[in-house]
Amino acid sequence: MNESARIVTFKMDGREIGAREDETILQVATDNGIFIPTLCYLEGLSAMGGCRLCMVEVKETSKLVPSCVTYAREGMEVITNSERLAKYRIMLLELFFAERNHICAICVANGRCELQNLTVNLGMTHVHFPYFYPRVPVDASHERFVLDHNRCILCTRCVRVCAEIEGAHTLDVMTRGMDSRIITDLNQAWGSSVTCTRCGKCVNVCPTGALSEKGKAVADIAVKKQFLPYLTRMRRGKQ
Ligand code: SF4
Ligand code: SF4
């Protein structure tokens, strides 16, 4: 946070709002009780603007902008909820469901999954795209954790927490587009990784059932991402 950042005023959903110029639209919305859906964003990790669910309208441009990486500017007019945004967000959710196998009834995260919760809250009822369902493996080689690529939405929260908070850099993304996969070390079995500290941070921040802990109740995993803002503040020497 930049202590000398200027204060800017702008409109959000018709309300006059004051914010620091180094705050993103998403941060300002959250501070003002305005809900913007997100999946790849997680407070305490760097923002990547990858999932596009947090797109908002800005009056000066016809393009939608990702609110997690767009900063507040003097005089801007932001709309966080509209018919256009609602349709767009549902389409994005449908694409997640079309790309890999998200059959909630047989998923370890059923009932605590952020993707599942958003489909309910945003009103997604059908998938209007052909299902791809690629044949992707499950890596259960780690003595404590499981990585099921079928449930992965490539939000990279696990990659970022492993690099930015744990400092292990065990996880990464391999290839591009539909063939993208989360890998451990040099694309080897997770169980043979020499860099993994077995801290479990990646499992705690995963929004779906892609990462899970062997023999642990799913409900125990759900609340633990709260450690992130705390660790980030401590690392910067602020409490
Ligand atoms: S358990 Fe910790 S070190 Fe291992 S991959 Fe996950 S976050 Fe990285
Ligand atoms: S394994 Fe989980 S946290 Fe990692 S990219 Fe996939 S969905 Fe996101």
Side-chain angles (χ1 to χ4, degrees), residues 147 151-158 182 205-208 210-211:
L147 168 56
R151 315 296 193 200
C152 179
I153 57 169
L154 294 163
C155 67
T156 73
R157 284 187 188 184
C158 57
I182 296 295
V205 300
C206 182
T208 67
L211 287 167

Side-chain angles (χ1 to χ4, degrees), residues 10-11 57-63 65 71 73-79:
F10 65 101
K11 274 194 179 161
E57 293 182 30
V58 174
K59 277 230 170 119
E60 305 89 270
T61 169
S62 57
K63 286 184 191 158
V65 301
Y71 290 87
R73 279 197 326 272
E74 181 68 38
M76 76 194 310
E77 283 190 50
V78 178
I79 296 165

